[in-house]
Structure formats: structure tokens, C-alpha cells
Amino acid sequence: MVPVAERSSSPNPLTRARDAVWHPTPGSLRLLALLGVLGNAMIVATGGAVRVTKSGLGCPEWPRCTGDSLVPTHSAEHPALNMSIEFGNRMLTFVVLAVGFLVFVAALRLRPRRRALVGWAVAQPMSVVAQAVIGGIVVLTELHPASVALHFLVSPALLVFCVILWVRAGEGDAPPRPLVGPRTRRLAAVLLVACGAVLVAGTVVTGTGPHAGDADSRRWGFNIEDVTRVHSALAWITVALTVATAVVLHRTDAPPAARRRVHELIALELAQGAVGYVQYFLGVPAPLVVLHMLGAVLMWIAAWRLALSLRDRGPLTRPAEPKPVTATKQTPQPA
């Protein structure tokens, strides 16, 4: 058997990639988990590109792109660009599924095995499959806003698994020890709920506005200004809760990691708010819609990282190195 040190130092990138999955270390598993986070954030952005380019029905069938082809083909009813954008988003789903499967295999192969990590890892490929099925429902319902909203919201739900695995892969398995008081933990929990409410309200705004995925797709019958105000109010409530959390963390001398996380979240919220107001006053230009959707999931990731930084599960214990076997000197025996 090849020693771990030799496998990790191989100059062949394919060998190193294989070993990261088949002979994982805590570091390589955490890297794979980070790829899962990035992949699921990116698929939100590409999904936004599908919507703003009116490519939601670029591939009018599912799981095939058209009635007789898995891939985009010439069609008089669907422009080639729209078909390519929608098909590209579908292909990215398979990439994210592959990453999720590799994460699961690495979690199974990690020695010593950590059952909690296996549980968080198995949820990832299963959730991506659910996402693909919901994507098919979106196409078959011709972009009904309820199915489109569900399709988007599955990604933040999946990101919860990805972020927790990413964080847990770098810490120990001791029972969680709170690093702040119960009031601060409750405040962080309310902040997570507020972030989730902003995401839900954002799907209603998108389903009511001009970027519903296709020129003929159904929209919600709400007044766009009313739902935008609700979305904006929830966003301001989230900012207020984040600032309150930052104040409490500083006054209670919370760990530096927690204070860094809350500063990151405030910065993302301010940037997200700026993008939101600019796109509103400019008539919701397509590139800013995609940027706003990406900002939304980055905020969600930051909020969960903040919540997870308020407890400690001890240091990551690494397996002991095997002791070298030395030959023992034999004492001559009398004949």
C-alpha cells in the first residue's frame, strides 16, 4: 500500500485528484465540500441567466431538450441561443451532482470514518436529484411561478448541507460548546429566519416582474411595487438584525471568528442592497438581476457561517502516524 505522504505529494494532478476522493484527508474532504458550496452558488447564477434571457423554455421538453433529442437541435420555434443557455444550465446540474457524489465517496472513505460527515454528504447528491426533478416540473408546467420559486429555493436548502459539511470537515466531533450566551444564539437564529424570508420574498418579486423566464410564461398577479416594498422591508429588517448581532458580539467580547463573520455578512448585505436599489431605479436590467440572485445566496452562506461560528466542537483530531517496525535482535539459543 502506498503511504499517504507519497500519494499526497504525487506530481500528477489526476493522481492527486483521485487520491483526494479515494484516499481522502480532512483537508481534501473540506476542499471537496467547498467545491459543493461554489457549485450550488454558481447554478443559482446560471439559473438567473436562464430567466433574464427568456430561455426558460429554450428546451421545451424534459429530460430531453426537444421531443426527439437530448441536446439542442435546430428548431424554428426556439432560438439556438436560448436552447444553448437552458441546456447549459441543465449540464451544470450534472456537474454539481458529480461533485456531490465525489463528496459522498470521500466522506465514506475518510479514516477514521466520521458518521456525521457521511450524513451531511449523502444529502448533497440526493438533493441535486430532487433539484433536477423539480426542474423538469418547471418545464412541464411551462414556468409556473410557484414551481420556478421552488426550483430556486431548493438551492439555498441544499447550500445548508454544503456549508455545514464544509465547516464540520474542519472541526472536531465533540459535543457543541456554545461560545456566546443564549440570547445571542436566539438572535442569530432569528437572523437566519429573516434571511430565509428575504429569499422567499425575492422569488415573489421575480415571479411578478418582467424576468419570469419566457415572454409567454405566467406571472403572479400581484402589484410589482407592493411586493418590492415587502421584499425591501424584509431586507432592512435583516440588516437591522445583523447590526444588532454585531453590537452584541462586540459588547460580549465574542470570539474573533464570530465577529469576522458578522462583518462579512454586513458587507454583503450593503452590497446586495446597493445592487437592489440600482436595478430598481434602472428598470431591472438583466445583468443586475443575475448579480442580485448570486448576492442573495452569498448572504445566505454568510449567515450560516455566522451561526456556526457561535459554537465550538473541539479541534480536529488527526489519525496517529503508524510507528515504524524495527527488527529485534535475536539471542542465540544453545544447540
Side-chain angles (χ1 to χ4, degrees):
M1 182 176 179
V2 181
V4 174
E6 291 184 19
R7 291 198 301 262
S8 61
S9 61
S10 171
N12 189 331
L14 294 179
T15 302
R16 291 165 61 186
R18 180 204 64 192
D19 290 340
V21 176
W22 201 245
H23 304 290
T25 64
S28 68
L29 177 59
R30 192 158 193 248
L31 177 59
L32 288 169
L34 176 58
L35 292 178
V37 173
L38 296 176
N40 281 279
M42 186 58 62
I43 205 168
V44 170
T46 60
V50 170
R51 300 195 67 168
V52 299
T53 57
K54 295 181 171 33
S55 303
L57 294 177
C59 286
E61 302 292 336
W62 189 90
R64 299 186 177 190
C65 184
T66 61
D68 56 357
S69 176
L70 284 172
V71 299
T73 57
H74 176 72
S75 172
E77 299 178 357
H78 302 280
L81 178 61
N82 295 125
M83 297 182 76
S84 299
I85 292 173
E86 164 62 9
F87 185 74
N89 187 58
R90 292 187 183 188
M91 291 300 99
L92 184 58
T93 301
F94 286 100
V95 174
V96 176
L97 175 61
V99 172
F101 178 74
L102 294 177
V103 168
F104 173 60
V105 172
L108 280 178
R109 297 280 302 174
L110 185 67
R111 295 294 182 270
R113 179 177 294 176
R114 300 171 62 187
R115 292 186 178 181
L117 299 191
V118 175
W120 291 114
V122 73
Q124 296 191 29
M126 293 176 64
S127 299
V128 176
V129 171
Q131 177 78 308
V133 172
I134 296 171
I137 295 173
V138 170
V139 174
L140 297 177
T141 59
E142 297 183 348
L143 307 187
H144 189 284
S147 61
V148 172
L150 179 61
H151 191 42
F152 167 80
L153 292 173
V154 168
S155 290
L158 175 54
L159 275 167
V160 175
F161 303 134
C162 297
V163 172
I164 292 178
L165 177 63
W166 177 34
V167 173
R168 291 284 288 111
E171 60 186 12
D173 290 318
R177 178 177 63 89
L179 300 176
V180 295
R183 291 183 179 180
T184 306
R185 297 199 303 275
R186 285 195 293 268
L187 182 58
V190 173
L191 175 57
L192 276 177
V193 173
C195 288
V198 172
L199 292 175
V200 174
T203 64
V204 178
V205 173
T206 305
T208 307
H211 299 298
D214 187 80
D216 299 324
S217 63
R218 180 180 172 182
R219 268 81 161 171
W220 293 121
F222 306 117
N223 182 285
I224 185 63
E225 293 186 358
D226 291 341
V227 293
T228 300
R229 289 192 185 99
V230 172
H231 180 57
S232 178
L234 288 171
W236 279 112
I237 290 172
T238 303
V239 172
L241 288 170
T242 309
V243 172
T245 304
V247 171
V248 172
L249 290 176
H250 280 276
R251 286 186 174 180
T252 57
D253 196 26
R259 284 179 279 171
R260 286 195 303 271
R261 298 291 174 263
V262 78
H263 294 160
E264 293 168 359
L265 181 56
I266 290 174
L268 283 169
E269 288 172 348
L270 293 177
Q272 180 76 337
V275 172
Y277 278 107
V278 170
Q279 71 173 359
Y280 177 78
F281 288 113
L282 293 183
V284 201
L288 289 183
V289 173
V290 177
L291 184 61
H292 198 57
M293 293 178 67
L294 179 59
V297 294
L298 292 178
M299 275 181 46
W300 182 243
I301 293 170
W304 273 96
R305 292 186 73 199
L306 169 61
L308 293 170
S309 70
L310 303 181
R311 91 284 181 273
D312 178 62
R313 303 200 65 150
L316 179 65
T317 56
R318 301 184 181 277
E321 293 291 335
K323 295 181 179 181
V325 178
T326 55
T328 56
K329 186 176 181 180
Q330 299 290 334
T331 304
Q333 299 295 324

